[in-house]
Structures are given as structure tokens and as C-alpha cells.
Amino acid sequence: RAKAAGGNRFALADAEADARAITRHGLTTALPTALDRGEFFIEYQPLVHLGDGSVHGAEALVRWCHPQHGVLGPDRFIPLAEHTGLIVPLGRWVLEESVRQANFWQERHTDGGPLRINVNLSPTQLHHPRLVAETVDVLERSGLEPGALCLEVTESALIGADDDLLKPLRQLAEMGVDIALDDFGTGYSNLANLRRLPVSVLKLDRSFTQGMQQHPADPVDLKIVEGIVSLAHSLDLAVTVEGVETGAQAEQLRQIGCDTAQGWYYARPGAPDRIHSLLLADAV
Ligand code: C2E
Ligand code: MG
Ligand code: MG
Ligand code: MG
């Protein structure tokens, strides 16, 4: 019996591995042409000021509407796009499209102050020799001021980064583009190293806010977040928290002194119209 069960388990594991391989293969072959076929779209999630609940900006999050598999999240295809190199044209498209969108919002809400657009950059894009030139080009063609753009780079992509890698980010930062360190706190980077990086925003990873979801909140997580916020502020960095799912969390994070927040408590990522109506309503 044990043997039979073991055998079934292996058969099941094989079947799952096959299914994954097929899916992966299917995605790999469909990915290169997906951009030309217009199968990608962007959802926007608001970033909110913890102080008054007003909209600070939005993060652009790409999705793939696959003809057979339906809507796929970035975790399903960004690693593949990185691997195949498609990330470069895909990333360029996301930047162009979301900057155009941000400029549209900006022109309709000029009294609301500058609205920020956050765009994720993958490591391959970071290494691409035309990153600066293309970003400048996209901004110039759209008319959006550089100060309204924030490029998010993960902490892990910058670990051990040498000057060659940091130079384009410095150039962008000098133009006024904000650089955010995404998923901060997951990459075991040396905190002292932060000073060396041309970043102006820390995006605290969702794993910290998760510990605050319990009642009462995990006191250790609270202390860690407090410590990071005070360190960040002493280095003149703004702090955004990811993954805020409850009002209690939002209140605690506000008291600790976090600047902006993002999460399902405010809004899930959604169609651009959603941001438009939030801006009209002046708060989330
Ligand atoms: P990220 O940049 O850290 O984005 C935040 C992720 O957290 C998003 O997942 C968002 O939908 C999710 N999220 C937001 N609020 C909450 C919350 O309250 N609770 C929970 N549980 N989750 C929340 P998503 O959209 O699946 O994106 C995953 C990752 O894919 C992103 O993580 C980013 O690293 C990457 N990504 C997305 N769009 C792009 C892109 O255009 N280019 C590149 N290179 N990477 C992208
Ligand atoms: Mg991000
Ligand atoms: Mg993040
Ligand atoms: Mg994250």
C-alpha cells in the first residue's frame, strides 16, 4: 500500500511538473509576440498620503491578457521576459504608456499638485545602455516633468551594485526622477550602504505590514518599522509602505511616521479610470 501511495505521489508530482513545463513552454512561445498583439495592459494602484488620505500617485503594474490562460499577473511572466530579453521592449512600453497616462491625469488635475507615477524597473532594464536616453525621450515626448516619475528598483537588484550600474540611476536622479528602493527589507542589504545609492524613497516590503495585521500587532515588527522609518528620515528618504490591508494598520503606520501607503485597504490595482475618479473625489 505504502508503495502504491508512493508511486501515485510520484506520478502526481510528474504530472504537475509536466503541466508546469507545458504552461511554461506555452508562455515562452507566446511571450515574444504578445507585445505586438497588444495583449499587455496596465493596472494602477493608488499611493496615498497617510496624513490626510489624499492621492500621492499611482504604481503601474503590468498584466498579460493571454488568449488561452486569461489574465496573468507579472509574477507569471516577468521572470520569463527577463530571461528572453523581452523585458526591454515590454518595460519601454510600460514606461511610455504609464507616463502618457500620468500626464493625462496631471493635465486634468493641475490644482491637485503633482501626481506621481511609479514604474517598476527590472535588473535587465537597469543594465540596458539606453535606459537614460529612452527615459528622457519618453518624458520629453509626453510633457510630464521628470519630478513626477518614480522608478522602482528592487533592493536585491542593487546589492553589490558598482558605479557602472549606479551611474544611470544617478543621472536620472539628477534630472529630478525619483528612485525608490522596492521590497525594502527583504534583500539583507547593508543599511549603511543606503547612503551610497541615489534613492529618495524606501518602499517597505509587505512582509512587515503582514506582522502588523495581527491583533495586537507583532511588537517586534512595529519596532523594526519604527527603526527603519527613523533611519530613512535621517537620511532624507521618504517611506512608502506596501500591503496595507486594514484601517488599523494604516493608523499605526501613520503614527509611526510613514509617509505614504499602498494596499488593498485603499484600493486594489485597477483600471486608469479608478485613479481619475479618486483624484476627482480628492481622497481615497
Ligand atoms: P511590487 O512592485 O512590489 O508591487 C506590489 C505588489 O503587491 C503588486 O503585485 C500588488 O498588486 C500587490 N499588492 C498591493 N497591495 C497589496 C495588499 O494590500 N496586499 C497584498 N497581498 N498584495 C498587495 P503584482 O501586481 O502581482 O506585481 C508583482 C510584482 O511584479 C511587482 O511587485 C513588481 O516587482 C513586478 N512588476 C509589476 N509590473 C511590472 C513592470 O511593469 N515591470 C517590471 N519589471 N516588474 C513589474
Ligand atoms: Mg513596485
Ligand atoms: Mg514593492
Ligand atoms: Mg513587493
Side-chain angles (χ1 to χ4, degrees):
R1 264 187 79 190
K3 198 180 168 220
N8 283 339
R9 205 151 54 228
F10 283 120
L12 191 65
D14 282 350
E16 278 172 4
D18 283 348
R20 270 199 303 275
I22 291 164
T23 315
R24 199 179 149 83
H25 183 71
L27 294 185
T28 312
T29 47
L31 192 63
T33 45
L35 191 58
D36 291 334
R37 285 198 302 263
E39 291 171 1
F40 293 106
F41 65 99
I42 302 174
E43 288 193 320
Y44 297 88
Q45 187 178 34
L47 276 91
V48 174
H49 283 288
L50 276 162
D52 62 2
S54 62
V55 179
H56 172 72
E59 179 173 5
L61 295 159
V62 69
R63 277 90 179 85
W64 179 10
C65 187
H66 188 284
Q68 278 95 44
H69 301 293
V71 174
L72 302 175
D75 292 338
R76 293 286 300 281
F77 62 85
I78 291 286
L80 264 172
E82 273 270 308
H83 191 70
T84 58
L86 185 79
I87 192 69
V88 172
L90 175 60
R92 195 186 295 131
W93 177 79
V94 171
L95 180 71
E96 177 128 30
E97 178 63 18
S98 49
V99 159
R100 187 196 57 75
Q101 183 62 64
N103 196 52
F104 173 88
W105 289 325
Q106 197 91 278
E107 282 175 352
R108 276 153 192 80
H109 303 277
T110 40
D111 53 332
L115 180 84
R116 331 298 311 271
I117 183 75
N118 286 34
V119 179
N120 293 285
L121 276 194
S122 74
T124 304
Q125 290 174 274
L126 213 60
H127 286 93
H128 196 265
R130 294 200 32 84
L131 173 68
V132 177
E134 281 175 1
T135 306
V136 169
D137 185 53
V138 165
L139 285 169
E140 278 175 356
R141 277 188 289 119
S142 74
L144 193 78
E145 69 267 38
L149 175 64
C150 178
L151 296 174
E152 300 192 0
V153 181
T154 60
E155 186 188 12
S156 54
L158 291 186
I159 284 183
D162 56 14
D163 278 337
D164 284 346
L165 190 66
L166 295 180
K167 197 176 155 207
L169 289 181
R170 285 214 179 87
Q171 285 177 317
L172 290 164
E174 275 160 21
M175 284 163 41
V177 173
D178 271 319
I179 311 292
L181 211 48
D182 204 353
D183 300 344
F184 183 78
T186 59
Y188 307 100
S189 68
N190 179 352
L191 289 178
N193 205 15
L194 276 178
R195 272 199 316 207
R196 214 168 61 83
L197 303 176
V199 298
S200 45
V201 181
L202 288 191
K203 287 195 82 172
L204 205 57
D205 191 68
R206 192 161 74 224
S207 50
F208 292 100
T209 27
Q210 260 156 17
M212 299 175 63
Q213 234 151 266
Q214 299 152 229
H215 289 289
D218 184 336
V220 177
D221 275 324
L222 273 180
K223 284 275 172 243
I224 292 175
V225 175
E226 257 184 272
I228 293 175
V229 171
S230 76
L231 174 91
H233 285 168
S234 71
L235 293 171
D236 262 337
L237 304 173
V239 181
T240 299
V241 276
E242 298 183 324
V244 177
E245 294 183 356
T246 69
Q249 278 177 308
E251 178 51 24
Q252 250 161 350
L253 291 161
R254 190 189 62 77
Q255 280 173 18
I256 286 173
C258 293
D259 304 287
T260 48
Q262 188 179 352
W264 295 348
Y265 170 63
Y266 301 103
R268 298 215 176 205
D273 284 3
R274 180 74 203 281
I275 301 291
H276 194 58
S277 33
L278 288 175
L279 289 167
L280 288 174
D282 216 32
V284 174

